[in-house]
Amino acid sequence: MKTHYFFTVFLLSLVMLPVGLKAQDDKPLRLGVAGISHAHLNEVISRIGRGDFVIVGVAERDKDLLQNNRMRKYLDDSVFFEDLDEMLDKAKPEAVIVYEPIFDHLRVVEACAPRGIHVMVEKPLAVNMNHARKIADLARKYNILVLTNYETTWYDTNRELFRRVKENNEIGNITRIEVYDGHQGPVEIGCGKKFTDWLTHPKLNGGGAVIDFGCYGANLVTWLLGGEKPLRVYGVLNRQKPDLYPEVDDDATIILEYPQLTVQIMASWNWPMSRKDMHVYGTKGYIYQDTPRNMRVYSGKKLQQLTAPRLKAPYNDSFYYLKAAVRKQITVKPTDLSSLENNLIVVEILDAAIKSARQGKPVKMK
């Protein structure tokens, strides 16, 4: 039944190619999955059978999770491995996506890089700059891609905001950016225990809300500013729910000082609702990115409520993007949201914010 289902879906995919991809490039990407404890695993499950990739191997060290997971409904038993190295050698994926604790991103890259296998991790790139630098060194030594996936990378509104601010200069020079990210808390919204056990661990996740949601703002701002680093970083980390999250922060505010503007990143597990929105102010107006599709633009003394145009493949989906990058159909630029260069700066900002909160004073960026 599984074979028949996927063969049917694959045939349908041949006549339903995503806009922007050529038919000769549609051979499915051979994809490996490292770890299955991350709640974002649904991103790959929801795309199984779409036709742009085929999962050739899944590696998970937790024996219980390996035997009892949602992917077994769609995949043959032969693709599941307890050992990552065995999976890589037997399944021979072109790329590996990582749904393990952030601490293990380095371990996966250490296994993939010498084999020439590209890697896409869930945000952020690493738990700290020590890990991030080692990942970067491996990527450069073995000439592999190490991409970082953020949900907000594929928002129509963020790309339209960039176009209006950077290309059209609709609001003049940027003077202030405010980024809001988070939700009511991973326990409160019902994340599974296998996920929250490491998400709320200071070593395995590198921190709490500051890591989980602070990375979004650092990523977007670094993109908007063309890879520029802030001069100083000031972090305030709070524990508003110590009974639920005794080991890590659940609320973080990060202030980034640039020569020409100030950025405030508000990352929290204490919002009364889920949110990933951003306000960008300029000398002539402002743009509010409210949702993945809706935005408000104030320019020329006029306020407009707009729906952003849909992004085209491969820039509308992390797996289309990964495939296009691996197959060299697109070039990942250093300033891109998913790039290694951008995400090294992201980790450096998060590191500085944590250090600042510990010391109680701003930290200068190198």
Side-chain angles (χ1 to χ4, degrees):
M1 289 297 293
K2 292 178 183 176
T3 302
H4 175 73
Y5 168 76
F6 287 117
F7 180 70
T8 302
V9 174
F10 176 70
L11 288 179
L12 287 173
S13 73
L14 295 180
V15 295
M16 298 175 63
L17 298 179
V19 176
L21 296 183
K22 300 176 181 178
Q24 63 264 33
D25 297 327
D26 199 54
K27 183 179 179 181
L29 183 71
R30 293 179 59 82
L31 196 61
V33 180
I36 51 178
S37 60
H38 202 301
H40 291 182
L41 182 69
N42 188 60
E43 292 191 6
V44 66
I45 292 176
S46 64
R47 292 165 172 81
I48 289 178
R50 189 171 66 177
D52 52 301
F53 65 82
V54 57
I55 296 177
V56 296
V58 178
E60 172 55 59
R61 292 177 293 177
D62 186 310
K63 292 182 180 180
D64 176 62
L65 195 57
L66 183 64
Q67 294 301 321
N68 302 284
N69 66 80
R70 293 171 292 160
M71 301 190 80
R72 286 192 175 271
K73 179 180 178 182
Y74 306 98
L75 303 175
D76 191 83
D77 291 344
S78 64
V79 307
F80 290 91
F81 298 83
E82 187 176 340
D83 182 74
L84 175 62
D85 291 306
E86 183 183 7
M87 185 273 280
L88 296 176
D89 290 336
K90 289 184 177 179
K92 299 187 183 306
E94 296 174 78
V96 165
I97 51 176
V98 187
Y99 293 106
E100 293 205 354
I102 312 303
F103 185 86
D104 287 312
H105 288 181
L106 173 58
R107 181 182 68 86
V108 175
V109 174
E110 286 174 334
C112 290
R115 294 174 168 88
I117 299 170
H118 305 285
V119 178
M120 182 171 73
V121 302
E122 287 298 293
K123 55 78 188 173
L125 172 67
V127 289
N128 55 46
M129 278 306 295
N130 180 42
H131 275 213
R133 290 190 187 100
K134 290 179 179 179
I135 288 172
D137 288 344
L138 287 164
R140 290 161 180 160
K141 178 179 179 180
Y142 293 102
N143 195 30
I144 67 163
L145 293 168
V146 176
L147 305 176
T148 304
N149 179 42
Y150 297 79
E151 176 188 333
T152 47
T153 298
W154 322 109
Y155 280 12
D156 302 318
T157 42
N158 282 333
R159 299 283 179 164
E160 179 65 6
L161 182 152
F162 185 95
R163 187 186 70 81
R164 288 173 176 268
V165 171
K166 304 296 290 185
E167 297 174 10
N168 290 9
N169 193 34
E170 289 188 24
I171 62 170
N173 296 328
I174 301 175
T175 57
R176 177 178 293 274
I177 302 174
E178 297 173 352
V179 191
Y180 307 82
D181 286 295
H183 48 47
Q184 297 93 326
V187 173
E188 290 88 336
I189 67 172
C191 291
K193 189 176 186 303
K194 296 284 188 181
F195 180 37
T196 57
D197 277 352
W198 64 257
L199 182 66
T200 62
H201 193 283
K203 178 181 177 181
L204 297 180
N205 197 55
V210 65
I211 297 290
D212 191 28
F213 284 114
C215 61
Y216 284 100
N219 174 244
L220 287 167
V221 169
T222 301
W223 173 59
L224 280 171
L225 300 182
E228 182 180 358
K229 289 185 182 182
L231 300 174
R232 276 174 288 273
V233 177
Y234 183 60
V236 178
L237 308 185
N238 287 318
R239 295 180 183 178
Q240 298 180 6
K241 294 180 285 193
D243 292 342
L244 277 178
Y245 309 110
E247 296 188 274
V248 294
D249 62 281
D250 53 52
D251 186 83
T253 301
I254 306 171
I255 306 295
L256 308 180
E257 179 191 343
Y258 295 87
Q260 72 279 23
L261 73 147
T262 301
V263 173
Q264 186 174 10
I265 298 170
M266 287 153 281
S268 183
W269 291 342
N270 294 311
W271 292 112
M273 73 298 197
S274 294
R275 66 185 307 181
K276 291 186 178 73
D277 50 306
M278 176 169 58
H279 298 169
V280 179
Y281 298 88
T283 53
K284 298 190 297 183
Y286 62 79
I287 297 180
Y288 289 176
Q289 172 265 316
D290 293 320
T291 73
R293 300 243 38 227
N294 300 316
M295 59 197 304
R296 287 171 283 169
V297 179
Y298 179 78
S299 180
K301 298 184 179 181
K302 182 188 297 184
L303 178 62
Q304 295 176 286
Q305 297 197 21
L306 304 173
T307 299
R310 287 290 191 185
L311 294 171
K312 295 181 179 180
Y315 299 101
N316 63 340
D317 179 280
S318 60
F319 291 90
Y320 288 153
Y321 185 86
L322 174 63
K323 179 185 175 183
V326 169
R327 296 283 172 81
K328 300 186 185 303
Q329 298 158 3
I330 62 171
T331 299
V332 179
K333 298 187 292 294
T335 53
D336 287 350
L337 285 161
S338 303
S339 73
L340 181 61
E341 293 81 0
N342 175 297
N343 286 283
L344 284 168
I345 297 174
V346 170
V347 178
E348 191 173 354
I349 289 172
L350 298 180
D351 252 16
I354 293 170
K355 183 178 180 181
S356 169
R358 187 169 60 247
Q359 295 180 348
K361 62 182 181 181
V363 170
K364 290 184 178 181
M365 292 281 280
K366 295 182 180 179

